[in-house]
Amino acid sequence: MNLSDEISVIKFKNVIDMAITFTAMNRIFEKGTKKKIVQRLENSFSKFMIFDGKDSFESIHLEFCEWFTKNVSTAEKKLKNKKNKKSQAASYGHAAKVFDIAVKVYVYYCHLPSCDLAAKLLPVLHGAVDTPILTNLKKKYPSANIKAETIEALGKSEYDALQKLVAKHIEDDFQNAIHPVQYDDIMWHRLNRLV
């Protein structure tokens, strides 16, 4: 491997490592899980080189989330009431949040794998949904009938329904002037009163 190739590979790995750390979810999963999540993200993101539209992105997203729910477990946790919450399989909501935030860092923030490809990917990236955004969307659109109270409780169908609510909120309040990947940045700051 020449130096230029080595630099590219290291950049790819470092950005994914930063992205997974940025999700702040490592503490939720069993110890030792980060390495296998990073490896799977590397595998998933390498598939962007053959990106040919929304369907190929959705396929990569689904494949990662299905793998995640079968191969990643939450860490045992001591609750405030001193009881232990046992380890369990990660939810689709966990998987999607990890992927959506990691791909946001990789594509939207870092313009990878290339500026041209990042521009093509940008419109199809999902909005990362955390629990405050979930709660806000349920309040704004009560007829959507989303049962989950947290991302931990999100299955695929409710996650898909939430992505439709993100699109509706963008249409209703932002006049379609932003992409879903930008929506969660804005809403995270608004809901956490940072703006």
Side-chain angles (χ1 to χ4, degrees):
M1 177 182 304
N2 67 37
L3 187 57
S4 178
D5 290 342
E6 184 179 7
I7 289 169
S8 293
V9 167
I10 290 169
K11 179 181 179 181
F12 174 74
K13 290 180 175 294
N14 284 344
V15 169
I16 291 174
D17 185 63
M18 286 184 280
I20 191 70
T21 302
F22 185 68
T23 68
M25 291 185 67
N26 286 331
R27 62 185 166 68
I28 294 172
F29 307 119
E30 288 180 329
K31 286 191 187 301
T33 303
K34 179 182 175 186
K35 184 177 179 179
K36 69 180 178 180
I37 295 171
V38 166
Q39 288 172 338
R40 192 59 181 214
L41 285 170
E42 288 174 3
N43 176 273
S44 295
F45 291 2
S46 69
K47 294 176 183 176
F48 293 154
M49 298 309 291
I50 54 170
F51 172 76
D52 66 354
K54 184 172 178 59
D55 288 345
S56 70
F57 175 79
E58 295 299 336
S59 176
I60 294 166
H61 189 283
L62 177 63
E63 184 181 291
F64 175 86
C65 291
E66 287 179 345
W67 169 86
F68 197 98
T69 60
K70 292 175 185 156
N71 293 282
V72 176
S73 296
T74 61
E76 189 170 304
K77 177 181 174 184
K78 188 169 286 280
L79 302 173
K80 289 178 184 176
N81 64 6
K82 307 288 187 211
K83 292 185 180 179
N84 281 342
K85 182 177 181 182
K86 293 188 186 265
S87 174
Q88 60 188 18
S91 72
Y92 197 92
H94 286 136
K97 182 178 178 189
V98 167
F99 188 89
D100 292 341
I101 291 178
V103 77
K104 169 204 284 277
V105 171
Y106 185 72
V107 173
Y108 178 56
Y109 293 165
C110 296
H111 307 285
L112 292 170
S114 70
C115 287
D116 289 340
L117 194 48
K120 291 175 185 170
L121 281 160
L122 180 65
V124 302
L125 300 181
H126 296 184
V129 177
D130 62 5
T131 297
I133 291 173
L134 165 67
T135 302
N136 186 66
L137 286 168
K138 286 175 61 170
K139 186 175 170 184
K140 184 164 181 65
Y141 300 106
S143 64
N145 201 23
I146 304 290
K147 303 269 190 257
E149 297 292 326
T150 65
I151 64 159
E152 180 178 18
L154 279 178
K156 182 176 182 343
S157 61
E158 283 192 313
Y159 171 80
D160 290 342
L162 281 170
Q163 289 302 311
K164 289 178 182 168
L165 291 182
V166 167
K168 178 152 180 51
H169 194 198
I170 290 170
E171 180 183 346
D172 292 349
D173 291 10
F174 299 95
Q175 292 71 49
N176 287 323
I178 62 171
H179 296 293
V181 72
Q182 297 164 319
Y183 170 86
D184 67 270
D185 276 347
I186 292 167
M187 293 309 297
W188 190 86
H189 276 272
R190 286 182 181 179
L191 294 171
N192 289 288
R193 302 181 197 279
L194 298 175
V195 267

